[in-house]
């Protein structure tokens, strides 16, 4: 994935790390919300508490990790370099972090005065990020399936952000009507399938074969699926506005995503180098959860949106993001140290203890199971799920910090010390 990358292309290591370290802090905030509000409010998709909590995840966790990872990946996957990466990262990270806090707190604590502040900051974060990314991506000359998927992701992300700003303006203007809920469904559509899944498709096309020495996805999936999925999203949005039945479109979208997940699992299960790797657990759990969530989405076997949301967010999205970070942070630490001439450095598996990652995975999956049970049973299950979710996020943060501290400790030494010691 990072073949051919030089330190001249790569942003400073602090750029992606600040985004990654922020994400589990928002996970801890989500746990506090679950502790302090009744399940009836949390699992009601139209309640202000539920809206605020969802955005703590989508903006505070998903967007933080995506924005941080893309600033590191774009020079490699698309061959584009963001100029002045530290200034770019500072602006995006600061406005995204505080915008998320103001917007979510505005919903959770019914403080409408926070909406314009949050919306303004998020406009800067998303506007600046996507303006730069889209401009760079559409200048790329060597087009790959990953570059095409990233272009579609950027357009879908921009649409998601613009619709989100419109919906916030309706809250500020106290103009909530039936049309507002139709637009909300389109906002969720583009956020879930465009901003999240199409990006994950593009990254998976490159990451799975590179990181895990696994089979490539078939060319028809790489070249066709992101484009067709985006077209289906546009068609679905039109049908929603016209209040037409979207059952067939939902089936096509679900079918395509399930096929993608099955091929992803097949690739991971038939790796060319069968080496034990705990991060595979995250990817596989994520793909299985994606399949289950799409089956629920298309069959509507459970009427409440809560089950679908829990499985899609906590079963699919977050585990995959964690598994990805557990690969990226050790690699970046190793890459930056080796590029600076260090010879005696830990290998990729030594930055974070595998047993610690396994424990975090078990705790996280346990929290997910209790979240699912809390939908069917009483508040006690939600408290247990929240406790486990908080612990898993603290462990996730601890594991990241462990790797970063190892990097910093070595980076403060002189790379030539090994030769000086050998001459004594």
């Amino acid at each position: 994935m990072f073949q051919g990358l030089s330190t001249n292309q790569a942003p400073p290591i602090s750029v992606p790390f600040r985004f990654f370290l922020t994400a589990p802090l928002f996970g801890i905030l989500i746990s506090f919300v679950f502790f302090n509000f009744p399940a009836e409010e949390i699992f009601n998709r139209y309640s202000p508490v539920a809206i605020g909590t969802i955005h703590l995840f989508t903006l505070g966790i998903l967007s933080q990790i995506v924005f941080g990872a893309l600033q590191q990946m774009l020079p490699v996957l698309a061959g584009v370099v963001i100029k002045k990466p530290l200034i770019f990262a500072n602006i995006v990270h600061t406005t995204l972090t505080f915008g998320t806090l103001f917007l979510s707190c505005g919903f959770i604590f019914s403080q409408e005065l926070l909406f314009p502040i949050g919306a303004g900051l998020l406009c800067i974060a998303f506007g600046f990020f996507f303006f730069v990314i889209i401009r760079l991506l559409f200048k790329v000359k060597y087009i790959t399936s990953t570059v095409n998927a990233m272009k579609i992701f950027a357009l879908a992300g921009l649409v998601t952000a613009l619709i989100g700003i419109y919906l916030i303006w309706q809250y500020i203007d106290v103009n909530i009507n039936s049309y507002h809920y139709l637009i909300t469904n389109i906002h969720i559509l583009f956020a879930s399938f465009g901003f999240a899944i199409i990006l994950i498709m593009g990254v998976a096309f490159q990451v799975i074969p590179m990181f895990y020495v696994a089979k490539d996805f078939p060319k028809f999936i790489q070249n066709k699926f992101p484009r067709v999925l985006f077209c289906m999203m546009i068609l679905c949005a039109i049908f929603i506005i016209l209040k037409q039945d979207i059952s067939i479109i939902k089936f096509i979208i679900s079918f395509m995503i399930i096929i993608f997940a099955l091929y992803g699992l097949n690739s991971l299960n038939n790796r060319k180098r069968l080496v034990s790797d705990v991060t595979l657990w995250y990817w596989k759990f994520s793909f299985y959860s994606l399949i289950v969530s799409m089956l629920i989405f298309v069959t509507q076997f459970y009427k409440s949106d809560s089950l679908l949301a829990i499985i899609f967010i906590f079963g699919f999205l977050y585990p995959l993001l964690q598994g990805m970070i557990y690969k990226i942070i050790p690699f970046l630490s190793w890459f930056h140290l080796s590029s600076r001439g260090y010879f005696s450095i830990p290998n990729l598996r030594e930055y974070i203890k595998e047993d610690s990652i396994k424990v975090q995975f078990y705790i996280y999956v346990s929290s997910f199971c209790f979240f699912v049970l809390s939908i069917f049973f009483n508040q006690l299950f939600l408290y247990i799920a929240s406790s486990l979710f908080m612990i898993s996020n603290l462990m996730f943060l601890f594991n990241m910090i462990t790797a970063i501290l190892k990097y910093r400790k070595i980076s403060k030494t002189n790379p030539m010390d090994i030769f000086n010691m050998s001459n004594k």
Side-chain angles (χ1 to χ4, degrees):
M1 173 181 162
F2 294 97
Q3 287 178 340
L5 180 60
S6 70
T7 49
N8 292 330
Q9 292 176 297
I13 198 168
S14 64
V15 167
F17 281 2
R18 73 188 67 190
F19 289 88
F20 296 162
L21 290 171
T22 305
L25 298 177
F26 279 99
I28 294 167
L29 287 178
I30 290 172
S31 297
F32 281 119
V33 174
F34 288 159
F35 271 124
N36 289 284
F37 290 90
E40 292 75 16
E41 288 191 62
I42 292 170
F43 293 138
N44 176 5
R45 63 174 289 190
Y46 297 115
S47 77
V49 174
I51 296 171
T53 307
I54 284 290
H55 285 89
L56 282 176
F57 179 84
T58 55
L59 300 174
I61 295 178
L62 176 62
S63 297
Q64 289 279 356
I65 293 175
V66 166
F67 286 8
L70 281 181
Q71 290 173 75
Q72 182 64 56
M73 292 178 180
L74 281 173
V76 192
L77 301 184
V80 298
V81 179
I82 298 172
K83 295 180 180 179
K84 299 181 179 179
L86 280 175
I87 295 175
F88 180 82
N90 284 334
I91 293 172
V92 173
H93 180 258
T94 302
T95 52
L96 177 61
T97 301
F98 286 100
T100 303
L101 288 171
F102 280 115
L103 181 70
S104 296
C105 288
F107 278 112
I108 293 169
F109 300 109
S110 300
Q111 298 294 321
E112 289 79 5
L113 292 176
L114 299 180
F115 287 155
I117 302 172
L121 290 170
L122 291 170
C123 274
I124 296 171
F126 280 83
F128 191 41
F129 182 84
F130 282 118
F131 172 78
V132 172
I133 296 304
I134 290 172
R135 184 173 59 85
L136 291 173
L137 282 173
F138 280 86
K139 287 183 178 179
V140 175
K141 294 180 181 179
Y142 179 66
I143 306 298
T144 65
S145 59
T146 295
V147 171
N148 279 327
M150 285 189 169
K151 286 181 180 179
I152 297 170
F153 147 77
L155 293 174
L158 184 60
V159 171
T160 303
L162 291 173
I163 295 174
I165 296 302
Y166 170 77
L167 292 172
I168 288 297
W169 178 255
Q170 286 196 312
Y171 271 99
I172 295 171
D173 197 38
V174 195
N175 183 24
I176 309 299
N177 49 40
S178 59
Y179 185 70
H180 172 91
Y181 296 110
L182 293 178
I183 301 300
T184 298
N185 289 333
I186 297 173
H187 178 63
I188 295 170
L189 173 76
F190 276 87
S192 302
F193 299 119
F195 185 80
I197 288 183
I198 288 179
L199 174 65
I200 287 170
M201 281 184 175
V203 172
F205 296 156
Q206 190 79 18
V207 166
I208 290 178
M210 288 290 184
F211 271 154
Y212 299 105
V213 195
K215 296 193 303 182
D216 285 330
F217 283 80
K219 290 299 179 184
F220 78 92
I221 291 182
Q222 294 190 46
N223 297 329
K224 302 297 183 183
F225 271 35
R227 295 176 183 177
V228 175
L229 183 56
F230 188 63
C231 291
M232 287 296 103
M233 287 162 49
I234 295 172
L235 187 62
C236 188
I238 294 171
F239 273 47
I240 289 172
I241 292 173
L242 297 177
K243 299 181 180 180
Q244 299 298 308
D245 182 57
I246 60 171
S247 299
I248 295 176
I249 300 174
K250 286 174 64 176
F251 175 80
I252 295 171
I253 289 174
S254 301
F255 179 76
M256 290 176 61
I257 293 171
I258 289 172
I259 293 298
F260 161 73
L262 289 173
Y263 269 106
L265 287 167
N266 179 65
S267 182
L268 292 172
N269 289 328
N270 294 281
R271 304 185 310 282
K272 298 174 184 177
R273 190 177 65 188
L274 296 176
V275 178
S276 175
D277 190 334
V278 67
T279 62
L280 284 167
W281 298 2
Y282 290 87
W283 279 87
K284 290 181 180 181
F285 182 80
S286 175
F287 279 142
Y288 283 122
S289 297
L290 177 59
I291 292 170
V292 172
S293 66
M294 288 301 100
L295 290 174
I296 294 172
F297 175 67
V298 73
T299 61
Q300 293 183 311
F301 100 94
Y302 188 74
K303 295 298 182 182
S304 171
D305 295 321
S306 303
L307 182 62
L308 176 60
I310 290 293
I311 295 176
F312 186 80
I313 292 173
F314 295 134
F316 164 57
L317 286 176
Y318 203 13
L320 189 143
L321 295 171
Q322 292 174 69
M324 202 166 61
I325 286 180
Y326 278 138
K327 276 294 191 183
I328 292 175
I329 286 183
F331 176 83
L332 291 182
S333 301
W334 173 88
F335 166 74
H336 279 268
L337 289 173
S338 62
S339 298
R340 290 171 56 184
Y342 288 93
F343 290 92
S344 181
I345 55 178
N347 64 43
L348 298 184
R349 287 174 172 258
E350 292 175 338
Y351 284 93
I352 305 173
K353 291 181 179 179
E354 190 164 279
D355 287 343
S356 184
I357 299 176
K358 287 181 179 178
V359 171
Q360 193 262 331
F361 176 81
Y362 290 134
I363 295 173
Y364 181 82
V365 172
S366 299
S367 74
F368 167 75
C369 293
F370 277 100
F371 275 131
V372 172
L373 291 173
S374 68
I375 296 172
F376 303 99
F377 300 104
N378 57 38
Q379 188 90 20
L380 176 62
F381 288 87
L382 185 59
Y383 290 148
I384 297 171
S386 303
S387 302
L388 293 169
F389 188 68
M390 180 180 292
I391 294 169
S392 74
N393 276 283
L394 286 169
M395 283 202 69
F396 185 35
L397 181 63
F398 172 80
N399 289 339
M400 284 193 285
I401 291 173
T402 299
I404 293 169
L405 289 178
K406 285 184 181 179
Y407 164 81
R408 290 188 62 185
K409 182 179 179 180
I410 298 171
S411 67
K412 289 179 180 179
T413 63
N414 187 339
M416 304 304 293
D417 283 348
I418 187 173
F419 297 105
N420 296 333
M421 290 175 63
S422 62
N423 290 332
K424 290 182 180 179

